Amino acid sequence: MSRTVYVNGDFVPEAEAKVSVFDRGFLMADGVYEVTTVIGGKLVAFAGHMARLARSLAELAMAAPAGEAELLAIHRRLVEMNGLDEGLVYLQVTRGVADRDFAFPAAGTPPSLVLFTQKLAVLERETVRRGIRIALVPDLRWSRRDIKTVQLLYPSMAKMEARAKGCDDAWMVEDGLVTEGSSNNAYIVTHDGRIVTRHLGHAILHGITRKAVLGFAVEAGLVVEERAFSPDEAKAAKEAFITSASAFVTPVVEIDGVRIGEGIPGETVRRLRTIYIAESLATAI
Ligand code: PDD
């Protein structure tokens, strides 16, 4: 069945969803995006995603395509038109259409706005049952990873390198410390039960799932340490996991061929996933 896609004000069949070849998203990767998960036809952590979108736009001096209320209405209409029960809504804003030039187009050039839905199993997943295997790769991305831009070539290459090594995903390493996963935040659990994940800054994306999960961890009485950790510390950890809008909380059972803990999904990660899902279902809109 053909999807209905939103393009610059219109809801159209996907075959008719078109943007200009002069769009700066296409020519310069001059765009930002958000991915919001849908469960039971409802949006998870919508306000958080919109707050981060506003921040990404502001950091790049890019005009907002619409206000939050209008964006919510578009998300909901797309979910409804596509009969989406479980999956995600992808939103992309670019600096719009202009002759190719490194300088930004004149102020007032309308931004482009595209949204589409994608069906995806998020609650029940094979990777959650078995845990994922991680390969470590150098972090060769630009230095403003806190801005959610569509420059995703290196993360794609990192993921392919991990796959070539028989792994599920990559964790990226810079100056001897883990930054994050190719499309997720990275965590370890120490043998005395502390949850460690890289502190916020320009080196990582400020995950919306990260913020929620760390909050739930503290509420559950767990100790959280926001600091960088090394590959060696990760390999010696009791547990490891990732978070993202679509992975929620997913266990890591192997890093660069080294088994983590028992080599099976650990107790802390299972507990955090259960809490996160319960809260997501309760607060989705
Ligand atoms: N990726 N780090 C990176 C580099 C990411 O691309 C993502 C999200 C995250 C997790 O952020 P959040 O919890 O807000 O989803 C961390 C999305 C899901 C993607 O590109 O598909």
Side-chain angles (χ1 to χ4, degrees), residues 33 35 52 148 180 182-185 205 207-209 244-245:
Y33 75 107
V35 176
R52 186 173 60 193
K148 199 165 170 61
E180 59 186 332
S182 65
S183 61
N184 43 68
N185 290 116
L205 185 75
I208 302 305
T209 320
S244 77

Side-chain angles (χ1 to χ4, degrees), residues 6 9 46 50 53-54 57 62-75 91 93 111-113 115:
Y6 176 92
F46 182 77
M50 291 307 105
L53 174 67
L57 291 169
M62 204 181 283
E68 187 170 327
E70 192 183 339
L71 291 176
L72 176 59
I74 298 169
H75 275 77
L91 170 156
V93 184
S112 301
L113 175 63
L115 287 90

Side-chain angles (χ1 to χ4, degrees), residues 1-6 12-17 78 81-82 88 116-119:
M1 198 187 80
S2 163
R3 270 176 294 193
T4 297
V5 169
Y6 176 92
V12 294
E14 63 181 47
E16 290 166 31
L78 261 193
M81 289 176 96
N82 290 291
L88 52 89
F116 58 81
T117 56
Q118 202 154 297
K119 238 176 121 173

